[in-house]
Short mmCIF file of all heavy atoms in Angstrom, two decimals:
data_model
loop_
_atom_site.label_atom_id
_atom_site.label_comp_id
_atom_site.label_asym_id
_atom_site.label_seq_id
_atom_site.Cartn_x
_atom_site.Cartn_y
_atom_site.Cartn_z
N THR A 159 117.97 62.18 66.19
CA THR A 159 117.45 62.26 64.78
C THR A 159 118.38 61.43 63.94
O THR A 159 118.00 60.59 63.07
CB THR A 159 117.40 63.71 64.20
OG1 THR A 159 116.46 64.42 64.98
CG2 THR A 159 116.99 63.71 62.75
N ARG A 160 119.67 61.53 64.20
CA ARG A 160 120.67 60.68 63.42
C ARG A 160 120.48 59.24 63.70
O ARG A 160 120.53 58.36 62.86
CB ARG A 160 122.06 61.09 63.73
CG ARG A 160 122.44 62.50 63.16
CD ARG A 160 123.75 62.95 63.78
NE ARG A 160 124.90 62.18 63.31
CZ ARG A 160 125.68 62.55 62.33
NH1 ARG A 160 125.36 63.62 61.64
NH2 ARG A 160 126.71 61.85 61.89
N ASP A 161 120.22 58.95 65.00
CA ASP A 161 120.01 57.53 65.40
C ASP A 161 118.79 57.00 64.70
O ASP A 161 118.84 55.81 64.33
CB ASP A 161 119.89 57.39 66.99
CG ASP A 161 121.16 57.84 67.72
OD1 ASP A 161 122.26 57.72 67.06
OD2 ASP A 161 121.08 58.08 68.90
N ILE A 162 117.70 57.74 64.69
CA ILE A 162 116.54 57.26 64.06
C ILE A 162 116.72 57.01 62.56
O ILE A 162 116.31 55.95 61.96
CB ILE A 162 115.32 58.26 64.31
CG1 ILE A 162 114.89 58.19 65.74
CG2 ILE A 162 114.13 57.94 63.39
CD1 ILE A 162 113.79 59.25 66.18
N ALA A 163 117.42 57.96 61.91
CA ALA A 163 117.66 57.82 60.46
C ALA A 163 118.51 56.55 60.20
O ALA A 163 118.21 55.80 59.36
CB ALA A 163 118.40 59.07 59.90
N GLN A 164 119.49 56.38 61.10
CA GLN A 164 120.41 55.25 60.93
C GLN A 164 119.61 53.94 61.17
O GLN A 164 119.82 52.90 60.34
CB GLN A 164 121.49 55.38 61.95
CG GLN A 164 122.72 54.56 61.59
CD GLN A 164 124.01 55.27 61.93
OE1 GLN A 164 124.04 55.96 63.02
NE2 GLN A 164 125.05 55.13 61.14
N LYS A 165 118.83 53.85 62.16
CA LYS A 165 118.08 52.65 62.43
C LYS A 165 117.10 52.32 61.30
O LYS A 165 116.96 51.18 60.91
CB LYS A 165 117.35 52.70 63.80
CG LYS A 165 116.73 51.36 64.13
CD LYS A 165 116.48 51.31 65.72
CE LYS A 165 116.05 49.84 66.19
NZ LYS A 165 114.83 49.48 65.62
N PHE A 166 116.44 53.37 60.82
CA PHE A 166 115.51 53.13 59.66
C PHE A 166 116.30 52.61 58.47
O PHE A 166 115.89 51.63 57.85
CB PHE A 166 114.79 54.49 59.29
CG PHE A 166 113.82 54.34 58.21
CD1 PHE A 166 112.48 54.11 58.45
CD2 PHE A 166 114.19 54.45 56.86
CE1 PHE A 166 111.55 53.94 57.41
CE2 PHE A 166 113.33 54.35 55.81
CZ PHE A 166 111.96 54.09 56.08
N ASN A 167 117.44 53.24 58.16
CA ASN A 167 118.21 52.80 57.02
C ASN A 167 118.61 51.36 57.23
O ASN A 167 118.70 50.62 56.26
CB ASN A 167 119.45 53.76 56.85
CG ASN A 167 119.10 55.11 56.37
OD1 ASN A 167 117.95 55.33 55.82
ND2 ASN A 167 120.02 56.07 56.53
N ASN A 168 119.00 51.02 58.38
CA ASN A 168 119.48 49.65 58.67
C ASN A 168 118.34 48.62 58.66
O ASN A 168 118.36 47.56 57.96
CB ASN A 168 120.16 49.42 60.05
CG ASN A 168 121.55 50.19 60.07
OD1 ASN A 168 122.13 50.35 59.04
ND2 ASN A 168 122.03 50.48 61.22
N ASP A 169 117.32 49.00 59.40
CA ASP A 169 116.17 48.05 59.55
C ASP A 169 115.55 47.64 58.22
O ASP A 169 115.06 46.53 57.98
CB ASP A 169 115.02 48.56 60.43
CG ASP A 169 115.41 48.63 61.87
OD1 ASP A 169 116.51 48.14 62.30
OD2 ASP A 169 114.61 49.12 62.71
N PHE A 170 115.56 48.70 57.26
CA PHE A 170 114.81 48.44 56.02
C PHE A 170 115.78 48.40 54.88
O PHE A 170 115.42 48.68 53.69
CB PHE A 170 113.75 49.51 55.86
CG PHE A 170 112.67 49.47 56.95
CD1 PHE A 170 112.69 50.33 58.01
CD2 PHE A 170 111.78 48.37 57.06
CE1 PHE A 170 111.77 50.29 59.05
CE2 PHE A 170 110.87 48.30 58.08
CZ PHE A 170 110.93 49.23 59.10
N ALA A 171 117.03 48.14 55.18
CA ALA A 171 118.15 48.21 54.10
C ALA A 171 117.73 47.51 52.87
O ALA A 171 117.90 47.97 51.77
CB ALA A 171 119.46 47.72 54.70
N GLU A 172 117.22 46.30 52.98
CA GLU A 172 116.96 45.52 51.83
C GLU A 172 115.81 46.10 50.99
O GLU A 172 115.97 46.23 49.79
CB GLU A 172 116.46 44.11 52.38
CG GLU A 172 116.65 42.97 51.36
CD GLU A 172 116.16 41.62 51.99
OE1 GLU A 172 116.46 41.45 53.15
OE2 GLU A 172 115.46 40.88 51.23
N SER A 173 114.78 46.56 51.65
CA SER A 173 113.72 47.11 51.00
C SER A 173 114.01 48.48 50.29
O SER A 173 113.65 48.79 49.17
CB SER A 173 112.51 47.34 51.94
OG SER A 173 111.35 47.87 51.35
N ILE A 174 114.98 49.24 51.03
CA ILE A 174 115.38 50.51 50.46
C ILE A 174 116.10 50.28 49.22
O ILE A 174 115.89 51.02 48.18
CB ILE A 174 116.30 51.24 51.54
CG1 ILE A 174 115.44 51.74 52.68
CG2 ILE A 174 117.14 52.33 50.91
CD1 ILE A 174 116.19 52.31 53.86
N ALA A 175 117.01 49.25 49.15
CA ALA A 175 117.71 48.90 47.96
C ALA A 175 116.78 48.41 46.89
O ALA A 175 116.83 48.86 45.71
CB ALA A 175 118.78 47.83 48.25
N GLU A 176 115.81 47.55 47.24
CA GLU A 176 114.84 47.07 46.23
C GLU A 176 114.02 48.25 45.59
O GLU A 176 113.62 48.09 44.43
CB GLU A 176 113.84 46.09 46.93
CG GLU A 176 114.39 44.62 46.94
CD GLU A 176 113.49 43.79 47.92
OE1 GLU A 176 112.38 44.16 48.18
OE2 GLU A 176 114.06 42.83 48.38
N GLN A 177 113.73 49.18 46.39
CA GLN A 177 112.90 50.31 45.82
C GLN A 177 113.73 51.27 45.09
O GLN A 177 113.34 52.35 44.57
CB GLN A 177 112.27 51.12 47.03
CG GLN A 177 111.21 50.25 47.84
CD GLN A 177 109.97 49.98 47.05
OE1 GLN A 177 109.62 50.71 46.10
NE2 GLN A 177 109.31 48.87 47.36
N GLY A 178 115.05 50.98 44.97
CA GLY A 178 115.99 51.82 44.13
C GLY A 178 116.49 53.03 44.80
O GLY A 178 116.91 53.96 44.11
N PHE A 179 116.61 53.00 46.12
CA PHE A 179 117.22 54.12 46.86
C PHE A 179 118.60 53.88 47.32
O PHE A 179 119.10 54.59 48.20
CB PHE A 179 116.34 54.57 48.05
CG PHE A 179 114.92 55.01 47.59
CD1 PHE A 179 113.76 54.23 47.87
CD2 PHE A 179 114.75 56.21 46.99
CE1 PHE A 179 112.54 54.66 47.49
CE2 PHE A 179 113.48 56.66 46.62
CZ PHE A 179 112.40 55.91 46.87
N GLY A 180 119.25 52.84 46.82
CA GLY A 180 120.65 52.61 47.21
C GLY A 180 120.78 52.11 48.56
O GLY A 180 119.98 51.33 49.04
N ASP A 181 121.84 52.56 49.33
CA ASP A 181 122.10 51.97 50.64
C ASP A 181 121.69 52.71 51.78
O ASP A 181 121.78 52.39 52.98
CB ASP A 181 123.48 51.37 50.73
CG ASP A 181 124.55 52.55 50.39
OD1 ASP A 181 124.11 53.66 50.36
OD2 ASP A 181 125.69 52.10 50.03
N ALA A 182 121.19 53.96 51.57
CA ALA A 182 120.54 54.81 52.60
C ALA A 182 119.46 55.65 52.17
O ALA A 182 119.57 56.26 51.02
CB ALA A 182 121.71 55.68 53.27
N PHE A 183 118.40 55.63 52.82
CA PHE A 183 117.26 56.50 52.42
C PHE A 183 117.33 57.87 53.05
O PHE A 183 117.18 58.86 52.39
CB PHE A 183 115.88 55.79 52.72
CG PHE A 183 114.73 56.63 52.29
CD1 PHE A 183 114.45 56.66 50.84
CD2 PHE A 183 113.93 57.30 53.10
CE1 PHE A 183 113.33 57.45 50.37
CE2 PHE A 183 112.82 58.12 52.64
CZ PHE A 183 112.61 58.13 51.24
N PHE A 184 117.52 57.87 54.36
CA PHE A 184 117.54 59.16 55.12
C PHE A 184 119.01 59.58 55.19
O PHE A 184 119.87 58.81 55.57
CB PHE A 184 116.94 59.10 56.45
CG PHE A 184 115.40 59.08 56.32
CD1 PHE A 184 114.73 57.99 56.86
CD2 PHE A 184 114.64 60.06 55.73
CE1 PHE A 184 113.34 57.88 56.79
CE2 PHE A 184 113.32 60.07 55.68
CZ PHE A 184 112.61 58.94 56.22
N PRO A 185 119.34 60.92 55.10
CA PRO A 185 120.64 61.43 55.35
C PRO A 185 120.94 61.56 56.87
O PRO A 185 119.97 61.55 57.64
CB PRO A 185 120.65 62.91 54.79
CG PRO A 185 119.22 63.26 54.91
CD PRO A 185 118.39 61.99 54.71
N LEU A 186 122.15 61.50 57.23
CA LEU A 186 122.52 61.75 58.59
C LEU A 186 122.75 63.28 58.79
O LEU A 186 123.74 63.81 58.20
CB LEU A 186 123.77 60.95 58.95
CG LEU A 186 123.63 59.40 58.92
CD1 LEU A 186 124.79 58.65 59.33
CD2 LEU A 186 122.35 58.87 59.60
N THR A 187 121.84 63.89 59.44
CA THR A 187 121.77 65.33 59.50
C THR A 187 122.92 65.96 60.37
O THR A 187 123.20 65.41 61.42
CB THR A 187 120.46 65.69 60.10
OG1 THR A 187 119.44 65.15 59.28
CG2 THR A 187 120.26 67.29 60.12
N GLU A 188 123.40 67.00 59.85
CA GLU A 188 124.48 67.83 60.67
C GLU A 188 123.79 68.87 61.50
O GLU A 188 123.12 69.74 61.00
CB GLU A 188 125.43 68.52 59.77
CG GLU A 188 126.46 67.68 59.03
CD GLU A 188 127.35 66.86 59.96
OE1 GLU A 188 127.68 67.48 61.03
OE2 GLU A 188 127.78 65.77 59.68
N PRO A 189 123.95 68.93 62.80
CA PRO A 189 123.54 70.02 63.60
C PRO A 189 124.46 71.21 63.36
O PRO A 189 125.66 71.04 63.12
CB PRO A 189 123.71 69.55 64.99
CG PRO A 189 124.61 68.42 65.10
CD PRO A 189 124.70 67.87 63.65
N LEU A 190 123.84 72.37 63.27
CA LEU A 190 124.71 73.59 63.09
C LEU A 190 124.49 74.40 64.40
O LEU A 190 123.52 75.14 64.56
CB LEU A 190 124.29 74.39 61.95
CG LEU A 190 124.86 73.95 60.62
CD1 LEU A 190 124.09 74.64 59.47
CD2 LEU A 190 126.40 74.15 60.59
N ILE A 191 125.55 74.34 65.32
CA ILE A 191 125.42 74.94 66.59
C ILE A 191 126.72 75.79 66.75
O ILE A 191 127.70 75.18 67.15
CB ILE A 191 125.30 73.95 67.75
CG1 ILE A 191 124.04 73.08 67.47
CG2 ILE A 191 125.13 74.72 69.07
CD1 ILE A 191 123.91 71.88 68.50
N GLN A 192 126.62 76.98 66.24
CA GLN A 192 127.93 77.75 66.14
C GLN A 192 127.86 79.17 66.56
O GLN A 192 126.70 79.71 66.58
CB GLN A 192 128.38 77.77 64.60
CG GLN A 192 129.02 76.48 64.13
CD GLN A 192 129.04 76.39 62.65
OE1 GLN A 192 128.59 77.28 61.95
NE2 GLN A 192 129.54 75.27 62.14
N GLY A 193 128.89 79.73 66.86
CA GLY A 193 128.97 81.16 67.18
C GLY A 193 128.91 81.41 68.71
O GLY A 193 128.89 80.47 69.52
N PRO A 194 128.91 82.71 69.09
CA PRO A 194 129.06 83.11 70.49
C PRO A 194 127.80 83.03 71.32
O PRO A 194 127.76 83.24 72.49
CB PRO A 194 129.53 84.54 70.46
CG PRO A 194 129.01 85.04 69.14
CD PRO A 194 128.94 83.86 68.16
N ALA A 195 126.55 82.68 70.64
CA ALA A 195 125.37 82.73 71.37
C ALA A 195 124.51 81.47 71.17
O ALA A 195 123.27 81.63 70.95
CB ALA A 195 124.54 83.99 70.95
N THR A 196 125.08 80.35 71.22
CA THR A 196 124.30 79.08 71.04
C THR A 196 123.49 78.76 72.32
O THR A 196 122.72 77.98 72.29
CB THR A 196 125.27 77.98 70.65
OG1 THR A 196 126.24 77.84 71.69
CG2 THR A 196 125.88 78.16 69.31
N ARG A 197 123.93 79.43 73.44
CA ARG A 197 123.23 79.20 74.67
C ARG A 197 123.20 80.51 75.45
O ARG A 197 124.11 80.76 76.28
CB ARG A 197 123.93 78.12 75.47
CG ARG A 197 123.17 77.65 76.77
CD ARG A 197 123.89 76.47 77.40
NE ARG A 197 123.25 76.14 78.67
CZ ARG A 197 122.18 75.39 78.76
NH1 ARG A 197 121.57 74.97 77.72
NH2 ARG A 197 121.65 75.16 79.96
N VAL A 198 122.21 81.30 75.15
CA VAL A 198 122.02 82.65 75.81
C VAL A 198 121.43 82.38 77.14
O VAL A 198 120.49 81.62 77.35
CB VAL A 198 121.14 83.52 74.96
CG1 VAL A 198 120.88 84.86 75.70
CG2 VAL A 198 121.78 83.84 73.57
N MET A 199 121.99 82.94 78.18
CA MET A 199 121.57 82.68 79.57
C MET A 199 120.64 83.76 80.11
O MET A 199 120.55 84.88 79.54
CB MET A 199 122.81 82.57 80.51
CG MET A 199 123.89 81.68 79.97
SD MET A 199 123.27 79.97 79.56
CE MET A 199 123.32 79.22 81.16
N SER A 200 119.95 83.38 81.13
CA SER A 200 119.03 84.31 81.85
C SER A 200 119.80 85.57 82.29
O SER A 200 120.98 85.49 82.75
CB SER A 200 118.37 83.63 83.03
OG SER A 200 117.95 84.57 84.00
N LEU A 201 119.17 86.74 82.20
CA LEU A 201 119.75 87.99 82.63
C LEU A 201 119.85 88.09 84.17
O LEU A 201 120.55 88.88 84.74
CB LEU A 201 119.01 89.21 82.08
CG LEU A 201 118.95 89.36 80.61
CD1 LEU A 201 118.20 90.56 80.20
CD2 LEU A 201 120.44 89.45 80.00
N ARG A 202 119.07 87.23 84.85
CA ARG A 202 119.00 87.20 86.29
C ARG A 202 119.90 86.17 86.94
O ARG A 202 120.18 86.20 88.15
CB ARG A 202 117.55 86.93 86.78
CG ARG A 202 116.54 87.88 86.18
CD ARG A 202 116.79 89.30 86.56
NE ARG A 202 116.47 89.60 87.97
CZ ARG A 202 116.95 90.71 88.61
NH1 ARG A 202 117.67 91.60 87.93
NH2 ARG A 202 116.64 90.88 89.84
N ASP A 203 120.32 85.15 86.10
CA ASP A 203 121.09 84.05 86.67
C ASP A 203 121.87 83.46 85.42
O ASP A 203 121.33 82.73 84.64
CB ASP A 203 120.15 83.06 87.30
CG ASP A 203 120.92 81.78 87.87
OD1 ASP A 203 122.09 81.71 87.52
OD2 ASP A 203 120.21 80.95 88.53
#
Side-chain angles (χ1 to χ4, degrees):
T159 299
R160 290 168 71 95
D161 292 342
I162 290 176
Q164 199 144 36
K165 188 161 189 296
F166 182 94
N167 288 343
N168 287 340
D169 287 356
F170 302 103
E172 204 179 318
S173 182
I174 288 169
E176 271 167 25
Q177 296 288 333
F179 295 108
D181 50 21
F183 183 71
F184 287 121
L186 300 183
T187 303
E188 286 298 328
L190 277 170
I191 305 172
Q192 283 163 359
T196 57
R197 189 173 173 82
V198 176
M199 307 309 274
S200 157
L201 298 179
R202 306 299 289 166
D203 176 352

